[in-house]
Amino acid sequence: EIVLTQSPATLSLSPGERATLSCRASQSVSSYLAWYQQKPGQAPRLLIYDASNRATGIPARFSGSGSGTDFTLTISSLEPEDFAVYYCQQRSNWPQYTFGQGTKLEIK
Amino acid sequence: QVTLRESGPALVKPTQTLTLTCTFSGFSLSTSGMCVSWIRQPPGKALEWLALIDWDDDKYYSTSLKTRLTISKDTSKNQVVLTMTNMDPVDTATYYCARMASGSGRSNNFDYWGQGTLVTVSS
């Protein structure tokens, strides 16, 4: 099983700041990594797929990068609605999809 | 517009079998590349992928849970059903169904989700 480790567990920032979230895979997943945003009481929402492609309707302030084992989700300038939990997910080991444990982005 | 909705019991007893139904609209599971998955999330914890069924009726299961899971579809009703046997309190979670559109030019990830249904396992 491919294990995804996200860091940090919690990130405290203010609106307008830049957020950098990391996801590390236990073995190479090539570029087959996605990012999701989840707000309390809601289902996850697909933000980024295949490491760097924004999903439909996702604002340009969200960007993804990386390949192999190290990936980054960047939010260029935080909006109030961006404070949520973020999960990475791999599809390299299809169909044994796995998710990271999440990074909580909270308001400082 | 694509929508999915989960339905099923909110409470099951240990050792019972859980049956969940995902009713969807806005796409057809007979269209090449379309898939529906079940994913769960224990309270306060991370997401766990459970099972997937595709347009060709191929079925895939989590290695750790495959002996307990069965996924099926009724294309005419736009429904996907998941059964999980021998339920235990550790299976308490919100269960989501999600669409995946696979193939070239598609996201190949879970692009639409239902709102989830909380299942509690308790005697």
Side-chain angles (χ1 to χ4, degrees):
Chain A
E1 174 183 307
I2 297 177
V3 176
L4 299 178
T5 302
Q6 294 186 239
S7 61
T10 303
L11 184 59
S12 300
L13 293 170
S14 301
E17 290 193 292
R18 181 185 186 90
T20 303
L21 288 68
S22 295
C23 177
R24 175 166 288 179
S26 59
Q27 63 190 75
S28 176
V29 298
S30 185
S31 294
Y32 299 132
L33 189 104
W35 291 93
Y36 297 82
Q37 176 194 67
Q38 187 178 34
K39 297 180 180 179
Q42 296 185 17
R45 175 174 72 144
L46 178 65
L47 299 175
I48 302 287
Y49 65 93
D50 291 352
S52 61
N53 296 290
R54 273 190 302 277
T56 302
I58 301 304
R61 65 180 181 273
F62 291 91
S63 64
S65 63
S67 66
T69 61
D70 290 298
F71 299 86
T72 300
L73 173 69
T74 301
I75 309 171
S76 59
S77 179
L78 285 166
E79 298 287 342
E81 62 267 27
D82 298 337
F83 292 91
V85 179
Y86 291 83
Y87 293 96
C88 56
Q89 171 246 317
Q90 63 81 23
R91 67 176 182 94
S92 173
N93 188 24
W94 183 93
Q96 297 301 318
Y97 307 101
T98 52
F99 292 85
Q101 83 280 14
T103 289
K104 182 180 181 180
L105 179 56
E106 64 177 23
I107 299 176
K108 187 174 182 179
Chain B
Q1 126 226 23
V2 174
T3 65
L4 302 98
R5 186 183 75 251
E6 306 86 353
S7 59
L11 179 66
V12 298
K13 290 180 166 45
T15 75
Q16 286 187 335
T17 294
L18 171 68
T19 299
L20 295 173
T21 300
C22 175
T23 303
F24 57 88
S25 63
F27 68 99
S28 173
L29 245 188
S30 60
T31 299
S32 179
M34 291 301 157
C35 312
V36 171
S37 260
W38 286 94
I39 296 156
R40 71 178 179 179
Q41 185 173 36
K45 296 189 177 180
L47 300 156
E48 179 184 19
W49 176 78
L50 300 177
L52 179 146
I53 190 165
D54 71 14
W55 72 98
D56 211 20
D57 207 33
D58 292 319
K59 301 159 188 176
Y60 306 93
Y61 299 100
S62 164
T63 302
S64 60
L65 291 167
K66 67 180 301 181
T67 60
R68 300 173 53 204
L69 297 173
T70 302
I71 192 169
S72 62
K73 66 182 174 77
D74 185 331
T75 305
S76 65
K77 292 183 179 179
N78 281 350
Q79 290 182 333
V80 171
V81 175
L82 180 77
T83 63
M84 180 180 289
T85 61
N86 194 25
M87 293 291 285
D88 183 273
V90 300
D91 297 313
T92 294
T94 296
Y95 287 75
Y96 295 99
C97 61
R99 187 192 84 158
M100 172 181 289
S102 66
S104 178
R106 292 170 166 166
S107 73
N108 292 280
N109 282 283
F110 307 115
D111 57 356
Y112 289 93
W113 297 62
Q115 84 281 6
T117 186
L118 176 62
V119 177
T120 300
V121 185
S122 174
S123 54

